Amino acid sequence: MRIFKNYIFLFWLVQGLLIALKIAFTLRPEINLFTEEAQYWLWSQNLAWHYYSKPPLIAVFNFLSTSVFGINELAIRINAVLLGLGTAWLVFYLTDFLFQSKRMAFWASLILSSMPFFILFSTFHMTDSEVMFFWMLTWVLLAKALKEAKWKWWVFAGVSALLGMASKPIMVLVLPSLGLFLFLAGRIKSYGNKFLLFVVISLIGLIPSVVWNSGNGFQTFRHLATLGGIHGGGSGRSLVEMLLGFLEFLGGQLLITSVFLFPLWILYTRKVRIFDSKQLFLILPAFISFLTFAFISLFSVVQVNWPAFGYSTLAIASAYAIEKQEGIWYKIGYWGIGIGVLLPVLLLFPEVNGLKRQIGLEKLEIAVFNRLAGYDQLASRISFLEDSLGIQDVFYFSESYHVSSELAFYLPSHPQTFQIAKGGRRNQFDLWESIDSHLEFEETGVFVSFHEDSPNPVTTFQQLIYEEEFPIYFRDEYLRSAKIQFWKNLQKYEPIQSDSY
């Protein structure tokens, strides 16, 4: 049939269906924002050149989308959905640009869509959503710059990398990745000046971070150093602990790039000339990202998603491997892609007539999504209690920035909430207005926590008005309980300052 030869049409058909699925998932009543999503939205209500742990671009995206669509879950996640669509199209475009095959381009985009990291970044709005897109856009523009040898493409690529660095500083890995490619491909002399221009433009994206940190005790740098095991007790691992840390990292990377595609990557290393310039161009971005965090994993815990922004070009390499095979390997590749797409579709798809419970999928759903449930329930209960108790002048706080961020999003008035300092790791709330701005006012403080029995000993109130344990459910399955307390008149706040970053 002719339709199966129109791979551009197939691309938009498949991606359109996946977008509809992600929107339907976002609209599921039992699914709330991930706590980091809520935090990044709260940043957008307090626009700045930089924040404690990240550059400003994710806050800008949230500010723009909520200004257009209002403050709701879809307005947040539409950013991730559209950035994911853009990344998938860039993979399609780059594949066709390098290999002149829209068929391979379609399969590359489908392989990308089956990879767990892409599903994660294109469903939940994280800083990885932006950096994945700008990383891929940068490599597309660099491919054009290397082929057409026009200065304008190097400028455009530099601007794209600049925006990536305004999303997440790890975008800086594009510089050694490109430099190593030019060296191994024997092009460093031919493109030296243009590469230097690209570097200069790219690094402009770090200027807001450096300026902000210079006036705020370089807190982001300390935070990143702690995560990397350089500062805060991450060193001193034994050789066995270092090996276990690396193996844990390796297993996580296999899972987030899809265990079902693993046979293809083994085949790729055996059958493809890796040192061909096109293959180097595709493999080096992923390899540099992987190698960087593999090294960090020897000294500190590496979150599974951290290196994944650089893996999009692996989808093109995998499509190339499939294209060169026949028989059983061809079928293995297609089965791997199919299973990789089907499993998240089943998880994201809304419940219909108890079907997921009947087939045993509900328990897996609860295990995966249990931390995305209950915040709207919690906010509704707090609003109900305010009305029942006749309370008007109120402020909201928790010892957890996760809970404080979710309350700010789901409470009807979207108030600026507070986190009390009880000795935990520092975060953005430490840089904002403190709860002591409510000292000596005739106001009621609403404390919410999943882990603490009260805001003591760091706060002193006149009296406790009301408290309860509020149960959180995923549909009709009990998950956990939250402590809700109404306290009258804040009289003293003595934060426990932390040196942990």
Side-chain angles (χ1 to χ4, degrees):
M1 293 177 63
R2 182 176 178 82
I3 185 174
F4 293 109
K5 295 181 180 179
N6 189 340
Y7 290 103
I8 294 179
F9 173 80
L10 281 179
F11 169 85
W12 289 108
L13 176 62
V14 170
Q15 294 301 320
L17 291 173
L18 291 176
I19 287 174
L21 175 65
K22 292 168 186 175
I23 291 175
F25 171 77
T26 297
L27 297 177
R28 286 172 58 174
E30 70 272 31
I31 299 294
N32 296 159
L33 290 185
F34 179 47
T35 56
E36 295 300 320
E37 290 180 294
Q39 178 191 204
Y40 298 144
W41 163 78
L42 192 54
W43 291 4
S44 75
Q45 305 302 293
N46 300 268
L47 288 176
W49 282 106
H50 196 82
Y51 299 91
Y52 169 78
S53 60
K54 299 291 191 307
L57 200 58
I58 190 168
V60 173
F61 270 82
N62 280 332
F63 177 81
L64 294 174
S65 63
T66 54
S67 295
V68 174
F69 301 110
I71 298 175
N72 56 73
E73 293 159 342
L74 185 58
I76 302 300
R77 292 203 177 133
I78 197 66
N79 293 296
V81 170
L82 295 178
L83 288 165
L85 174 62
T87 304
W89 173 250
L90 290 169
V91 165
F92 184 102
Y93 179 88
L94 182 58
T95 309
D96 190 37
F97 182 80
L98 293 176
F99 300 102
Q100 290 76 54
S101 171
K102 288 183 171 55
R103 181 178 182 276
M104 190 193 304
F106 168 72
W107 285 107
S109 68
L110 197 58
I111 290 170
L112 179 72
S113 299
S114 74
M115 291 178 164
F117 79 84
F118 176 80
I119 297 164
L120 180 67
F121 298 169
S122 63
T123 303
F124 304 99
H125 191 204
M126 312 157 65
T127 53
D128 298 287
S129 308
E130 275 87 7
V131 76
M132 176 182 69
F133 171 79
F134 287 113
W135 179 271
M136 197 64 216
L137 177 60
T138 301
W139 284 102
V140 168
L141 294 169
L142 287 172
K144 294 182 73 67
L146 291 167
K147 183 175 182 178
E148 299 184 14
K150 294 181 179 178
W151 285 89
K152 69 176 183 178
W153 295 117
W154 291 94
V155 173
F156 292 156
V159 172
S160 175
L162 180 158
L163 292 170
M165 292 185 195
S167 304
K168 203 171 184 179
I170 198 61
M171 182 74 188
V172 75
L173 289 182
V174 73
L175 304 182
S177 300
L178 178 60
L180 185 57
F181 168 77
L182 293 176
F183 174 76
L184 294 176
R187 303 185 188 183
I188 194 72
K189 290 184 178 179
S190 303
Y191 293 100
N193 291 335
K194 292 172 181 175
F195 175 62
L196 182 60
L197 174 66
F198 170 74
V199 170
V200 170
I201 295 174
S202 301
L203 291 178
I204 293 173
L206 296 180
I207 291 177
S209 176
V210 173
V211 172
W212 183 90
N213 274 278
S214 67
N216 288 274
F218 292 96
Q219 297 200 49
T220 305
F221 292 85
R222 295 183 183 184
H223 169 66
L224 295 176
T226 299
L227 295 180
I230 301 172
H231 177 269
S235 60
R237 282 186 168 188
S238 67
L239 288 176
V240 172
E241 290 172 328
M242 293 171 73
L243 177 61
L244 291 175
F246 172 75
L247 291 176
E248 181 181 352
F249 166 78
L250 192 63
Q253 297 316 291
L254 179 60
L255 290 174
I256 205 165
T257 51
S258 181
V259 66
F260 305 112
L261 297 177
F262 184 66
L264 286 181
W265 298 329
I266 297 296
L267 185 66
Y268 180 87
T269 60
R270 293 178 54 195
K271 297 292 186 179
V272 176
R273 293 177 56 216
I274 295 176
F275 286 97
D276 172 79
S277 62
K278 290 181 181 178
Q279 301 306 319
L280 273 177
F281 190 76
L282 297 173
I283 295 300
L284 277 177
F287 177 72
I288 294 297
S289 180
F290 173 86
L291 196 63
T292 299
F293 287 97
F295 177 75
I296 295 174
S297 73
L298 299 175
F299 307 99
S300 182
V301 175
V302 172
Q303 297 299 320
V304 68
N305 63 293
W306 288 354
F309 70 92
Y311 293 162
S312 296
T313 50
L314 288 179
I316 304 176
S318 300
Y320 183 83
I322 292 177
E323 194 74 7
K324 295 299 179 182
Q325 302 310 312
E326 297 178 353
I328 186 65
W329 286 106
Y330 206 74
K331 294 179 181 179
I332 288 174
Y334 285 156
W335 273 103
I337 298 168
I339 295 172
V341 172
L342 179 61
L343 287 180
V345 165
L346 291 175
L347 279 175
L348 296 178
F349 202 80
E351 174 66 285
V352 179
N353 295 326
L355 179 62
K356 291 188 176 183
R357 176 171 293 180
Q358 294 174 23
I359 63 177
L361 195 60
E362 186 176 58
K363 290 184 178 180
L364 178 60
E365 257 195 338
I366 292 174
V368 174
F369 299 135
N370 71 89
R371 294 301 173 185
L372 301 178
Y375 295 106
D376 59 341
Q377 302 171 34
L378 195 54
S380 295
R381 180 60 179 173
I382 291 170
S383 296
F384 171 80
L385 291 173
E386 285 180 32
D387 289 339
S388 299
L389 297 170
I391 293 172
Q392 295 182 349
D393 296 323
V394 64
F395 59 94
Y396 310 89
F397 66 106
S398 174
E399 92 292 348
S400 164
Y401 78 85
H402 300 282
V403 174
S404 296
S405 299
E406 295 279 8
L407 289 177
F409 186 86
Y410 283 103
L411 286 167
S413 61
H414 305 296
Q416 179 66 48
T417 53
F418 301 91
Q419 180 202 4
I420 53 173
K422 299 191 76 172
R425 182 174 67 84
R426 296 177 66 84
N427 58 74
Q428 182 62 35
F429 280 91
D430 292 298
L431 305 176
W432 284 337
E433 182 181 45
S434 168
I435 194 175
D436 59 13
S437 61
H438 290 272
L439 282 169
E440 305 299 337
F441 285 93
E442 295 290 323
E443 296 177 325
T444 300
V446 179
F447 175 71
V448 182
S449 177
F450 287 104
H451 304 291
E452 298 286 336
D453 289 329
S454 78
N456 298 328
V458 299
T459 63
T460 301
F461 285 84
Q462 181 179 335
Q463 71 177 94
L464 176 65
I465 300 173
Y466 176 83
E467 68 175 331
E468 72 175 31
E469 293 280 344
F470 180 70
I472 300 296
Y473 292 89
F474 185 92
R475 288 195 283 270
D476 57 353
E477 290 289 328
Y478 171 79
L479 297 179
R480 58 193 184 281
S481 293
K483 174 78 73 175
I484 303 176
Q485 295 177 331
F486 284 72
W487 292 88
K488 182 179 180 181
N489 300 345
L490 177 62
Q491 297 178 330
K492 184 183 295 185
Y493 176 51
E494 298 176 321
I496 301 173
Q497 300 298 340
S498 172
D499 291 329
S500 174
Y501 288 87

